[in-house]
Amino acid sequence: MDAVPALDEPLKKVLGPATAKVMAEHLGLHTVGDLLHHYPRRYEERGQLTHLADLPMDEHVTVVAQVADARLHTFASSRAPRGKGQRLEVTITDGSGRLQLVFFGAGVHKPHKELLPGTRAMFAGKVSVFNRRLQLAHPAYELLRADSEEAVESWAGALIPLYPATAKLESWKIGKAIQTVLPSAQEAADPLPETLREGRGLVPLPEALLKIHRPHTKADIDRARARLKWDEAFVLQVALARRRHADAQLPAVPRRPKPDGILAAFDDRLPFTLTEGQRKVSKEIFADLATDHPMHRLLQGEVGSGKTLVALRAMLAVVDAGGQAAMLAPTEVLAQQHHRSVTEMMGELAEGGMLGGAENATKVVLLTGSMGAAARRQALLGLATGEAGIVIGTHALIEDKVQFHDLGLVVVDEQHRFGVEQRDALRGKGKQPPHLLVMTATPIPRTVAMTVFGDLETSVLDQLPAGRSPIASHVVPAADKPHFLARAWERVREEVSKGHQAYVVCPRIGDEEDGAKAKKKSPEDEAEKRPPLAVLDIAEQLARGPLAGLRVEVLHGRMQPDDKDAVMRRFAAGEADVLVATTVIEVGVNVPNATVMVIMDADRFGVSQLHQLRGRVGRGSAPGLCLLVTEMPEASAARQRLNAVASTLDGFELSRIDLEQRREGDVLGQAQSGTRSSLRMLAVIDDEEVIAEAREEATRTVAADPDLERLPALRTALDALLDEEREQYLEKG
């Protein structure tokens, strides 16, 4: 976070090339400063053992426990046909639960000598399931001997820090590396303005870094955490405040609808009344459109809350005022679908310049990469002359050839799928910066909105329109209760026999080169999970087996755009009964006749993604059903996650659960992967107060000194936070 030479020192100079390489590749740590900001995930106390009772599946964990018993088994295998294969099973305990460790082959000799009953050690490995029991296969371990000089020294102090680790680098090795670089913490430049730090009683940064890595008491940890949370929240909020400040300086053309224009005509022909929520949000948007600096608004709404209608009314208001509106969709399937639904909603108002078009109609054009040359030329002409008031398209809208007559509003659907260059390129096509409306169907808790979308004003649509049907969701434990899965396919047949349709969603396509997976598995590999179920395999199995006789089609991202569209059209027209698809159907696909969705390997999807997918059924008058199929055991975290999804339809509640479970994920990007996080200390759910206060302080700081000339250390911290990828993610807002 700091541009101080000692902290900029590359790790390979300090720790040697081998360790530095692993740190760079697996943890994203390159400099001494990076390593100092790799904080412990938690701390062990000497006399206290970790809870084995709540181990997370599929994560690398570090536990401190005692060996309860160890047994060596011999068995026959393809490698050792005469029964010479060896397997060491060690059971460890911590008072709260027991866990099995397993070692194979030549790897059994050392642990067999060292892991005797009564021995205490730290163990690190990936939690997997074998024979429906949790286990660590071939864990690394470090014995905790009270008499060994090194052990006493390296675990000095009552609290042992446990670091986010990887298979290649255990927590204790990271701890030793940090011990080496810790003296450099004295040279860390403090990004917080002194008045703020003293006013809030926060310790200086060098002291916080020492205390977080080498605490003597729990109070040390609390003080260090409080300080480091403020750093993260404040630096991030300053970045957002500067962006808001810069945007507020930009000019824009105010766009006000005419009392008797196309918007009024559209409202008159709506067959239903707007919900209270839609009216309120529209009012906020229209107030923004009427000002002379650009609107920057995030519209978040539950799946099916009518966001598209609100966005369309905003676009019509701009057309009324003589401008044009562009809607950017992440996929061709979605762009085509938006185009279809917008032209259907507008009817003759979308037939500008055509016979039968209404008097104040405009033209609505579609622009995607796979369009034929003639249709494309026609669309481009309509945009350049201003004849087309509304354009809906994919990234093809951004190309140099696309010229607008007067672009007044950009609507970005599902913004997290667009890079900053794409959005800025589209905004650059206006004579003055156009207004911006960003839509997302992923509900975002208030703190996250303040963090990730801090440069946008937020509007929330949380009311579902009348006539929407409830969706029942159930977990189908395929391994524990295979007859439940058979019943799921019967339910699909029942729905189809009533004239309805079904989706089956799989995590993988299935045409990948998968030679590695085809090899015969050794017992060691058996502990690893099988690859995720694939669309092509499942579609074939269903068509031959439980859904034989039904019209089953497939849809996935590697199909040609024309083929994808043809499949979607057939499904929408009711010419296919079951659509087996990947998550390409996750956003925006609207087939009211589809009433049931079966999600295979549901544990491989995130909470928000499952909620999105589920929103594709129950869009008509018949109730929806979503079946979450999983082979994960009852006690696993994955099952708890699925139970949470099945128990509520409230997307905001689920997004909180999602965030709490992701823990290490980086709120600022990189697919929440948990590798390297710019928010290492701040928990967006728990630290709502810190984030809100930091936002106020940041706004004040930037208003007083927009270029941070009087705060060089803060500027340095900002540059480090906004390395290229993060700057882009921030600007995606």
Side-chain angles (χ1 to χ4, degrees):
M1 224 189 215
D2 313 80
V4 178
L7 275 76
D8 273 352
E9 186 88 19
L11 286 174
K12 60 173 172 282
K13 283 193 178 169
V14 189
L15 303 175
T19 307
K21 185 170 187 265
V22 176
M23 287 198 167
E25 285 176 6
H26 295 274
L27 295 167
L29 307 174
H30 302 276
T31 65
V32 168
D34 290 345
L35 182 54
L36 286 174
H37 287 284
H38 187 72
Y39 307 131
R41 180 182 278 192
R42 55 193 174 82
Y43 300 84
E44 271 307 335
E45 288 180 65
R46 267 274 167 258
Q48 184 191 14
L49 295 166
T50 324
H51 289 301
L52 291 180
D54 31 82
L55 284 179
M57 273 298 298
D58 278 337
E59 279 197 34
H60 284 281
V61 297
T62 304
V63 295
V64 175
Q66 197 160 350
V67 176
D69 107 316
R71 292 159 194 242
L72 191 62
H73 302 272
T74 54
F75 61 90
S77 73
S78 54
R79 289 185 191 170
R82 292 203 188 87
K84 297 277 175 60
Q86 289 194 310
R87 181 174 76 244
L88 175 66
E89 289 177 3
V90 177
T91 306
I92 57 173
T93 179
D94 69 348
S96 78
R98 296 163 83 81
L99 177 68
Q100 189 162 326
L101 315 177
V102 56
F103 301 87
F104 290 99
V108 305
H109 305 307
K110 186 168 177 276
H112 189 222
K113 284 208 296 279
E114 293 183 336
L115 297 179
L116 304 170
T119 308
R120 287 193 62 208
M122 297 178 83
F123 301 92
K126 189 174 179 183
V127 182
S128 57
V129 172
F130 183 63
N131 277 344
R132 304 193 21 213
R133 280 166 67 192
L134 294 180
Q135 69 166 23
L136 297 183
H138 283 281
Y141 62 88
E142 175 109 336
L143 301 178
L144 294 175
R145 295 193 186 94
D147 55 343
S148 130
E149 256 323 286
E150 193 197 353
V152 171
E153 202 172 310
S154 64
W155 314 114
L159 296 160
I160 306 169
L162 296 185
Y163 290 91
T166 76
K168 297 271 192 297
L169 200 65
E170 293 88 21
S171 169
W172 50 85
K173 289 184 182 161
I174 296 171
K176 285 173 183 168
I178 283 174
Q179 194 70 36
T180 309
V181 301
L182 206 50
S184 308
Q186 293 303 342
E187 300 189 42
D190 202 322
L192 291 190
E194 205 165 324
T195 49
L196 188 158
R197 198 183 77 229
E198 288 173 359
R200 294 187 173 272
L202 299 167
V203 300
L205 181 58
E207 186 184 329
L209 289 171
L210 287 170
K211 284 188 164 154
I212 201 76
H213 293 297
R214 289 291 167 269
H216 293 299
T217 63
K218 286 184 176 170
D220 281 354
I221 300 170
D222 293 343
R223 278 198 290 272
R225 279 190 169 149
R227 163 62 217 244
L228 295 166
K229 279 179 181 180
W230 255 95
D231 270 23
E232 286 172 16
F234 182 70
V235 173
L236 175 54
Q237 291 300 337
V238 166
L240 294 164
R242 289 185 75 190
R243 191 163 170 80
R244 285 198 302 275
H245 182 81
D247 285 338
Q249 313 305 311
L250 294 172
V253 180
R255 311 279 179 174
R256 296 184 183 85
K258 295 194 290 242
D260 55 351
I262 188 169
L263 176 62
F266 175 76
D267 284 349
D268 287 345
R269 48 170 293 140
L270 274 179
F272 50 81
T273 54
L274 298 177
T275 64
E276 187 55 43
Q278 286 171 325
R279 276 203 292 276
K280 179 173 133 292
V281 169
S282 292
K283 200 171 157 189
E284 292 168 352
I285 291 171
F286 290 158
D288 282 1
L289 289 174
T291 60
D292 54 9
H293 59 86
M295 162 169 85
H296 286 101
R297 192 167 278 281
L298 171 70
L299 170 56
Q300 33 166 338
E302 280 286 14
V303 179
S305 58
K307 289 183 302 298
T308 312
L309 177 63
V310 169
L312 176 54
R313 293 184 73 241
M315 294 197 284
L316 294 174
V318 170
V319 171
D320 256 353
Q324 292 167 291
M327 182 187 252
L328 194 55
T331 63
E332 299 220 353
V333 168
L334 198 49
Q336 283 156 339
Q337 175 134 346
H338 275 320
H339 182 254
R340 266 201 297 278
S341 60
V342 164
T343 46
E344 279 166 19
M345 279 197 270
M346 286 175 64
E348 62 199 28
L349 293 173
E351 295 170 2
M354 291 188 262
L355 275 173
E359 167 194 358
N360 44 12
T362 186
K363 218 182 208 164
V364 179
V365 298
L366 175 69
L367 194 62
T368 64
S370 61
M371 278 168 76
R376 191 178 171 76
R377 248 195 327 273
Q378 196 63 40
L380 290 172
L381 186 65
L383 292 179
T385 59
E387 196 185 342
I390 294 177
V391 58
I392 295 167
T394 55
H395 54 271
L397 276 177
I398 294 160
E399 289 170 14
D400 292 343
K401 293 192 209 70
V402 182
Q403 299 293 325
F404 287 86
H405 177 63
D406 178 13
L407 181 61
L409 170 67
V410 174
V411 178
V412 181
D413 190 23
E414 291 304 327
Q415 71 32 258
H416 57 276
R417 297 168 181 236
F418 288 102
V420 59
E421 310 85 358
Q422 294 173 310
R423 197 206 59 194
D424 280 356
L426 185 52
R427 281 175 69 185
K429 291 183 181 290
K431 294 190 176 72
Q432 283 199 332
H435 298 281
L436 175 71
L437 180 64
V438 170
M439 300 200 297
T440 177
T442 309
I444 303 160
R446 177 174 159 262
T447 37
V448 185
M450 280 196 295
T451 309
V452 183
F453 304 104
D455 57 337
L456 298 173
E457 298 299 325
T458 306
S459 293
V460 178
L461 266 180
D462 45 14
Q463 233 182 329
L464 288 190
R468 267 315 185 88
S469 304
I471 304 170
S473 305
H474 302 285
V475 177
V476 177
D480 309 351
K481 299 180 176 160
H483 59 287
F484 276 35
L485 183 58
R487 175 73 189 121
W489 301 127
E490 282 172 23
R491 284 292 291 117
V492 170
R493 294 193 84 100
E494 286 164 17
E495 287 300 308
V496 171
S497 68
K498 292 180 198 161
H500 295 308
Q501 292 159 281
Y503 296 103
V504 177
V505 181
C506 303
R508 208 163 53 101
I509 295 172
D511 56 2
E512 298 88 347
E513 290 298 312
D514 233 358
K517 298 260 167 58
K519 287 198 302 221
K520 190 160 173 30
K521 287 191 170 183
S522 67
E524 293 100 308
D525 297 334
E526 281 298 337
E528 285 299 313
K529 299 202 306 189
R530 60 164 174 71
L533 294 172
V535 165
L536 300 176
D537 306 340
I538 292 289
E540 197 181 320
Q541 288 166 24
L542 292 176
R544 282 208 314 262
L547 303 185
L550 301 188
R551 297 168 299 175
V552 177
E553 295 231 22
V554 299
L555 181 70
H556 59 73
R558 277 210 286 280
M559 289 164 63
Q560 290 302 315
D562 290 355
D563 297 342
K564 272 195 284 205
D565 194 43
V567 169
M568 264 326 294
R569 278 177 189 278
R570 283 200 295 278
F571 190 66
E575 292 162 21
D577 301 315
V578 179
L579 187 61
V580 183
T582 54
T583 54
V584 290
I585 61 156
E586 179 186 347
V587 285
V589 171
N590 186 22
V591 180
N593 191 40
T595 53
V596 58
M597 175 178 285
V598 181
I599 303 179
M600 307 302 291
D601 275 349
D603 48 276
R604 311 277 178 131
F605 298 97
V607 170
S608 303
Q609 205 173 22
L610 291 169
H611 183 58
Q612 285 283 346
L613 285 165
R614 166 171 68 183
R616 301 301 116 213
V617 294
R619 299 177 79 84
S621 51
L625 172 66
C626 177
L627 301 172
L628 306 166
V629 180
T630 178
E631 293 185 359
M632 296 307 276
E634 182 92 51
S636 62
R639 268 289 275 284
Q640 287 162 19
R641 208 169 60 233
L642 296 180
N643 291 338
V645 174
S647 68
T648 177
L649 289 172
D650 180 343
F652 286 91
E653 176 58 28
L654 286 175
S655 68
R656 285 186 79 94
I657 293 168
D658 193 16
L659 265 167
E660 282 163 1
Q661 290 197 331
R662 276 206 295 250
R663 292 204 314 263
E664 291 270 297
D666 181 359
V667 177
L668 279 195
Q670 283 317 304
Q672 313 282 354
S673 62
T675 44
R676 179 181 174 199
S677 162
S678 69
L679 298 188
R680 301 176 179 99
M681 192 52 81
L682 201 64
V684 278
I685 290 288
D686 303 337
D687 298 320
E688 189 160 342
E689 249 170 72
V690 176
I691 293 170
E693 288 172 19
R695 183 180 168 117
E696 282 171 28
E697 292 274 11
T699 307
R700 270 200 293 276
T701 303
V702 170
D705 182 4
D707 295 326
L708 309 179
E709 282 166 2
R710 298 191 292 281
L711 298 164
L714 175 56
R715 247 202 345 258
T716 306
L718 207 54
D719 294 341
L721 172 78
L722 301 183
D723 59 33
E724 209 137 311
E725 126 197 310
R726 290 193 200 292
E727 179 127 50
Q728 289 181 7
Y729 196 86
L730 262 181
E731 293 190 351
K732 279 185 195 174

